[in-house]
Amino acid sequence: QVQLVESGGGLVQPGGSLRLSCAASGSFFSIGAINWYRQAPEKQREWVAAITIGGTPNYADSVKGRFAISRDNAKNTIYLQMNNLKPEDTAVYSCNADIRIYSLSPLRSYWGQGTLVTVSS
């Protein structure tokens, strides 16, 4: 069974930086597009960033210029470098990946459990 595990969250002061990781494990053939989402307390889940299988990134307006998404296909891992963090960035960050289990199978969406990012003075 496929698992996505996020790591790298923690407590930082405004203006600080964190690097989140999302690693895929288990038995699968390949990983397609990957997205980062976040959900703050008492707020709806928000899309943050995405990266295609070819490495093309896209970002929500709220994080453009501050966050950078990347992927390491050899390690089946994606990263979210977060710079100049703001209190509004406080949320549980989760990765969502399209994964092909077998070579002839369609892509299927998987979610990680999330990692908490707290930005506070």
Side-chain angles (χ1 to χ4, degrees), residues 95-115:
C95 63
N96 170 261
D98 293 328
I99 298 178
R100 194 185 306 277
I101 302 299
Y102 303 104
S103 62
L104 299 180
S105 299
L107 291 169
R108 184 176 178 179
S109 180
Y110 291 84
W111 287 88
Q113 294 296 319
T115 184

Side-chain angles (χ1 to χ4, degrees), residues 12-118:
V12 297
Q13 294 184 337
S17 298
L18 283 175
R19 187 197 190 204
L20 305 184
S21 299
C22 175
S25 63
S27 180
F28 57 88
F29 181 75
S30 63
I31 302 176
I34 303 177
N35 293 265
W36 281 100
Y37 290 85
R38 67 186 182 187
Q39 187 167 18
E42 301 181 351
K43 301 192 73 174
Q44 292 185 338
R45 186 177 62 194
E46 175 189 16
W47 174 77
V48 176
I51 187 167
T52 68
I53 189 171
T56 301
N58 197 16
Y59 304 95
D61 289 340
S62 59
V63 305
K64 283 183 178 178
R66 300 188 298 119
F67 291 10
I69 188 172
S70 61
R71 65 188 297 165
D72 186 335
N73 291 334
K75 296 182 178 180
N76 293 322
T77 302
I78 62 166
Y79 306 94
L80 185 67
Q81 179 66 47
M82 305 185 296
N83 300 318
N84 192 25
L85 285 163
K86 306 175 184 296
E88 308 91 85
D89 296 319
T90 296
V92 173
Y93 286 72
S94 302
C95 63
N96 170 261
D98 293 328
I99 298 178
R100 194 185 306 277
I101 302 299
Y102 303 104
S103 62
L104 299 180
S105 299
L107 291 169
R108 184 176 178 179
S109 180
Y110 291 84
W111 287 88
Q113 294 296 319
T115 184
L116 176 62
V117 172
T118 303

